[in-house]
Amino acid sequence: MRIVFMGTPDFAVPSLEALVAAGHQVCGVFSQPDKPVGRHQNKLQPTPVKVCAMEHEIPVFQPTTLRDGEALAQIRELAPELVVVAAYGRVLPDEILELPPKGCINVHSSLLPRYRGSAPINWAMVNGDEVTGVTIMHMAHELDAGDIIAQAETPIDPEETVEVLHDRLAQMGGRLLVDVVATIAAGTAKRIPQDPEQVTYAPMLSRALCPIDWTMSAKAIHNKVRGLTPWPATSTDAFTEQPVKVYAATETGESTKKEPGSVLKADKEGIDVACGDGKVLRILELQAPGSRRMAAADYLRGHPIH
């Protein structure tokens, strides 16, 4: 099938790779503009999807907007049968949604209608969900509200991080996408409307989420640490004047009657802190301001806690 692919970050790369490997004619790739990086912001870093497209010698388009008519004209000239979107980062105007004869579909990293929005993987973990997955849907005017074509589930391990789950879901999305495109080509793709009463949202992450509230349960704090690593990362000032970032922690299973936020122990195993449910969370990896990310044992050598 002749396809235009629209995507930007690492999550979208397996979907693009899967389409190419399945023999589809990806006639053009749309991705966000390159971002300036480096101390002086004088170097441009291509998006992961752009890098992948260039490796396969696929033309790349990087419009700053989709609403001035230029992107619409480019897609019309490419004449795709289908547009596939995976974490592109922009809302497609109706003129583009209506252009390809077989429509536009989206690879979304949640089991819709749960977690519409920009950070579904993170929020599934922060909220302590035991299962998540990927959804491929027909795109509609409202964000992430289109009819579902197919879904695939995966359990969330209680110790895994967002980074590990992200990579697994990205691979799952690529495999499911190839199956879905085959049903679209055959004219047998399903259309399952989303239940509006089951809709939840996954809003954009921000640094306002970082501070740890030690009155929460150990499990809830642990989930928050896992769900916000590596960005924006949780933080605490429970044992230091300036907040430190917390990148890894674990529940010890121990109980305490100490006040939430009290440091119970700090040694080579980690920093044990009392939580609101009377349980203990052990900080394993953290980062002080102006320093690098390190194990708690290394941190304690330069920052002893008495």
Side-chain angles (χ1 to χ4, degrees):
M1 188 178 293
R2 186 173 175 86
I3 295 172
V4 160
F5 185 85
M6 306 180 80
T8 298
D10 289 323
F11 178 83
V13 171
S15 290
L16 177 55
E17 291 278 13
L19 290 174
V20 173
H24 294 288
Q25 184 185 0
V26 182
C27 55
V29 164
F30 282 70
S31 196
Q32 294 274 20
D34 297 350
K35 286 189 175 182
V37 294
R39 178 175 295 180
H40 302 293
Q41 300 283 287
N42 56 356
K43 293 182 180 179
L44 290 177
Q45 182 174 23
T47 71
V49 164
K50 178 180 180 178
V51 172
C52 178
M54 292 174 67
E55 289 173 353
H56 292 287
E57 299 182 340
I58 302 170
V60 178
F61 304 85
Q62 295 178 279
T64 56
T65 179
L66 297 178
R67 300 191 177 277
D68 62 0
E70 184 175 350
L72 177 66
Q74 291 168 333
I75 296 173
R76 183 177 284 125
E77 186 172 341
L78 290 167
E81 299 169 83
L82 177 73
V83 169
V84 174
V85 180
Y88 177 49
R90 294 190 189 279
V91 176
L92 272 59
D94 291 345
E95 295 83 1
I96 292 178
L97 292 177
E98 296 163 1
L99 181 63
K102 295 190 182 295
C104 300
I105 63 172
N106 182 51
V107 184
H108 185 76
S109 52
S110 81
L111 296 174
L112 291 170
R114 286 181 64 79
Y115 300 122
R116 294 180 183 177
S118 63
I121 306 175
N122 303 83
W123 284 107
M125 191 164 281
V126 169
N127 291 337
D129 291 6
E130 296 181 354
V131 176
T132 188
V134 290
T135 299
I136 299 182
M137 62 182 170
H138 300 279
M139 295 182 71
H141 175 75
E142 186 181 351
L143 181 67
D144 299 332
D147 292 346
I148 294 168
I149 307 171
Q151 294 182 314
E153 293 187 3
T154 184
I156 302 176
D157 186 277
E159 293 295 329
E160 73 180 332
T161 64
V162 156
E163 295 163 295
V164 173
L165 181 58
H166 168 281
D167 292 350
R168 186 162 76 254
L169 290 174
Q171 295 296 331
M172 288 173 58
R175 292 192 296 269
L176 187 62
L177 175 61
V178 170
D179 294 340
V180 164
V181 171
T183 66
I184 291 173
T188 59
K190 296 179 180 178
R191 296 196 78 108
I192 304 169
Q194 295 186 37
D195 182 351
E197 295 190 1
Q198 300 298 317
V199 172
T200 63
Y201 292 93
M204 191 176 297
L205 302 178
S206 74
R207 288 189 172 87
L209 297 168
C210 295
I212 293 174
D213 177 2
W214 292 102
T215 66
M216 295 167 58
S217 70
K219 181 176 289 294
I221 297 172
H222 183 214
N223 289 338
K224 183 173 180 177
V225 171
R226 295 189 302 133
L228 298 185
T229 296
W231 193 92
T234 51
S235 64
T236 184
D237 57 3
F239 47 83
T240 180
E241 289 185 5
Q242 288 186 296
V244 296
K245 292 182 178 180
V246 178
Y247 285 107
T250 189
E251 299 170 70
T252 67
E254 299 168 359
S255 298
T256 180
K257 294 183 179 180
K258 293 283 189 178
E259 284 290 315
S262 302
V263 175
L264 308 174
K265 186 177 70 170
D267 58 23
K268 63 182 180 181
E269 293 184 339
I271 303 168
D272 289 2
V273 184
C275 302
D277 61 347
K279 299 296 183 181
V280 178
L281 189 79
R282 177 169 294 158
I283 297 173
L284 302 174
E285 193 174 344
L286 68 166
Q287 182 178 10
S291 185
R292 60 179 178 83
R293 181 171 166 176
M294 64 185 72
D298 295 328
Y299 170 83
L300 291 169
R301 290 191 187 97
H303 307 81
I305 298 174
H306 303 291

